[in-house]
Amino acid sequence: AWSSFKRQVNSTVDQNPGMKRSAPPRSNLRLSAREAQLRREEKFLIDIWTNERVQQIGALLSVVVIIAILTSVGPPPSDSRCTLPWC
C-alpha cells in the first residue's frame, strides 16, 4: 500500500510541468571531519526513520502496546460498587 502511494505521488509530481526538480546547490566549501561525520550520521538516521519497513514495525508495535494496556486493565467489577480510592 505504501509503495503504491509513493508511486502515485511521484507520478503526480512528474506530471506537473510547473514543478522543476533539481538537486540542492552544492557548496564549494570543504567540510571539516566533524561536520562530515555529523552529516553521515544525520543521513543514516533519516534513512532509518523513513524506511518503510521500520514504519510498519512501529505501527505494529503501537497496536501491540495498546492491546496489552487494554488487556491488563481487565473487565469492570461485576457489582456496582465504586473501585476508586476516594469512594
Side-chain angles (χ1 to χ4, degrees), residues 62-74:
S62 298
V63 169
V64 168
V65 166
I66 290 171
I67 291 172
I69 290 171
L70 292 176
T71 57
S72 67
V73 169

Side-chain angles (χ1 to χ4, degrees), residues 41-55:
E41 290 172 3
E42 288 175 345
K43 184 178 181 335
F44 174 74
L45 290 174
I46 289 172
D47 288 345
I48 286 177
W49 286 108
T50 56
N51 185 334
E52 182 179 356
R53 186 72 177 149
V54 171
Q55 291 178 357

